[in-house]
Amino acid sequence: MMSNSSIPNPKVDVERVNEIKKASFWVSQVFIIIATVLGVYLAASQGYKQAVQFENMKSYKESYYLQKSLQYELQDNIALLKTYMSKLQNSNYYGARNEPLNFYNLVWDNMKFSSATLATPPEFLRQAQGFYRNVAKLHDSIAKSDISVDNGLKQLRIEIDLVEQDLIPGLEKSTQTIKQELSGTDVIL
């Protein structure tokens, strides 16, 4: 025996067919489709914005640490250079001319492999590269007696002044700007 619920009701089927023929049915379906497409678009757009914002915050953080590390490395290397220069000035220390100048280059050498290096303002990279290159040339010239110790010391002092008065304050200002950019976020420096 069949139950009443499984017997098709012709009256209900006719009502459904009539409902489908009405314009209001189609209009409501169009609105449902538009709402669905718009919802998916807005969700995807918001997701994309969040992904871009996350990448920017990550890039800022990496750039901050790289610049700060470069700043500290330069400061340490200037201290080493000043020690070398004081030995050169000491007439009782005869081996200073040929003493090797062993800079700390961990950050500088590893910047080749960091994607954050290219996010560092180019003038900082150029100034740091110039400092290392010029100091190496001057050290070599002093060791070979191509220039006098006094002239070499003057030129080394110029290199130190450029870094201390221009590059290090520039790095400090740049890292402070990055820190301000990240201040309203959950990124901890």
Side-chain angles (χ1 to χ4, degrees):
M1 179 164 202
M2 292 180 108
S3 71
N4 287 343
S5 63
S6 62
I7 301 174
N9 185 346
K11 186 177 180 182
V12 172
D13 288 339
V14 169
E15 285 177 16
R16 286 185 189 157
V17 169
N18 287 338
E19 182 67 30
I20 291 174
K21 290 181 182 179
K22 290 182 182 177
S24 64
F25 171 80
W26 291 108
V27 169
S28 69
Q29 294 303 310
V30 167
F31 279 120
I32 290 171
I33 291 171
I34 290 172
T36 302
V37 169
L38 186 61
V40 169
Y41 169 76
L42 291 174
S45 176
Q46 190 61 30
Y48 176 74
K49 286 178 185 175
Q50 289 295 322
V52 168
Q53 185 178 16
F54 174 77
E55 279 302 312
N56 284 342
M57 295 302 112
K58 181 180 169 192
S59 176
Y60 278 139
K61 184 176 180 178
E62 289 174 355
S63 185
Y64 175 86
Y65 284 128
L66 181 89
Q67 290 180 41
K68 205 54 147 164
S69 297
L70 179 60
Q71 177 185 341
Y72 293 148
E73 183 174 274
L74 285 165
Q75 289 170 330
D76 291 344
N77 287 336
I78 286 175
L80 288 172
L81 184 56
K82 286 178 178 178
T83 300
Y84 167 74
M85 291 169 63
S86 68
K87 288 177 183 178
L88 279 177
Q89 290 173 326
N90 185 350
S91 60
N92 295 326
Y93 192 78
Y94 298 109
R97 248 183 211 276
N98 296 318
E99 186 173 299
L101 193 56
N102 297 317
F103 279 154
Y104 303 115
N105 290 325
L106 176 71
V107 175
W108 184 251
D109 290 342
N110 283 296
M111 284 174 65
K112 296 179 227 175
F113 309 107
S114 172
S115 61
T117 300
L118 298 179
T120 303
E123 64 270 13
F124 298 151
L125 299 176
R126 187 173 187 193
Q127 288 174 332
Q129 180 185 34
F131 170 74
Y132 285 124
R133 181 183 56 243
N134 294 340
V135 167
K137 283 181 185 178
L138 288 168
H139 179 262
D140 190 48
S141 294
I142 292 168
K144 291 179 180 177
S145 297
D146 290 343
I147 60 173
S148 69
V149 171
D150 288 339
N151 191 21
L153 287 170
K154 287 177 191 173
Q155 290 182 36
L156 288 172
R157 185 76 235 162
I158 290 169
E159 293 300 323
I160 289 172
D161 289 346
L162 286 172
V163 172
E164 287 183 331
Q165 296 170 10
D166 192 30
L167 180 55
I168 290 175
L171 286 165
E172 184 64 35
K173 184 178 178 184
S174 178
T175 54
Q176 286 302 317
T177 301
I178 293 170
K179 203 172 195 178
Q180 287 174 345
E181 284 285 328
L182 296 175
S183 66
T185 67
D186 293 335
V187 177
I188 299 171
L189 296 175

